[in-house]
Amino acid sequence: KRWFSSSFCLAHGNALERLSHLLRHLMWRSTKANQLVRQQMGIPDMEEKKVKLQFSSVEKYFYDQLYEETAGAAHRVMGSKKKAKDSVLLNQSLHKLRAACCHPQVGTSGIGGRVRR
């Protein structure tokens, strides 16, 4: 009750500032896109780290195959009249390519299907 009544105090400045003071306690800001919100939540700034991978020969072969498939999908999208369908295929190819880059040891099983144990 006290913060509510203090929101109408003229000492807080103009009407917009008083309204802001009142709503600050009522509304929840959950977006992390706003720098002020990230500071209030104690979220550190994002940091980008680039790591160069050294593929094994099998991983490189698999990655190159996916790269060619993705490049072909991109060319099809650019020259296609069915952009929606081809865009979905391109998106899938890009996801596979990213997965192969991030987890090359997992992606190599895609060459011949499942790895036998």
Side-chain angles (χ1 to χ4, degrees):
K1 287 183 178 182
R2 199 166 104 211
W3 64 263
F4 184 80
S5 61
S6 71
S7 296
F8 294 105
C9 178
L10 295 177
H12 283 107
N14 65 22
L16 186 59
E17 289 175 9
R18 289 193 308 268
L19 180 63
S20 173
H21 179 72
L22 171 67
L23 295 178
R24 185 176 322 145
H25 299 286
L26 297 173
M27 302 181 91
W28 182 262
R29 297 184 311 168
S30 60
T31 178
K32 293 179 242 168
N34 185 327
Q35 177 68 23
L36 181 61
V37 173
R38 285 196 308 274
Q39 287 174 346
Q40 289 174 350
M41 294 174 73
I43 298 174
D45 289 335
M46 260 209 260
E47 185 177 305
E48 181 178 347
K49 291 184 180 180
K50 294 182 181 182
V51 178
K52 286 197 171 208
L53 298 176
Q54 296 296 320
F55 290 138
S56 70
S57 59
V58 174
E59 292 166 345
K60 182 167 177 17
Y61 175 80
F62 180 66
Y63 181 84
D64 289 343
Q65 293 296 314
L66 283 176
Y67 181 83
E68 292 300 321
E69 178 185 316
T70 304
H75 287 293
R76 282 191 298 280
V77 167
M78 289 188 290
S80 175
K81 293 181 182 178
K82 300 177 185 177
K83 289 202 186 281
K85 181 181 177 186
D86 288 332
S87 293
V88 169
L89 295 175
L90 175 60
N91 197 23
Q92 290 171 348
S93 292
L94 287 168
H95 282 288
K96 286 180 188 177
L97 190 64
R98 179 177 176 261
C101 188
C102 293
H103 309 284
Q105 68 283 1
V106 175
T108 55
S109 64
I111 293 173
R114 295 185 175 189
V115 175
R116 294 181 185 173
R117 294 182 186 192

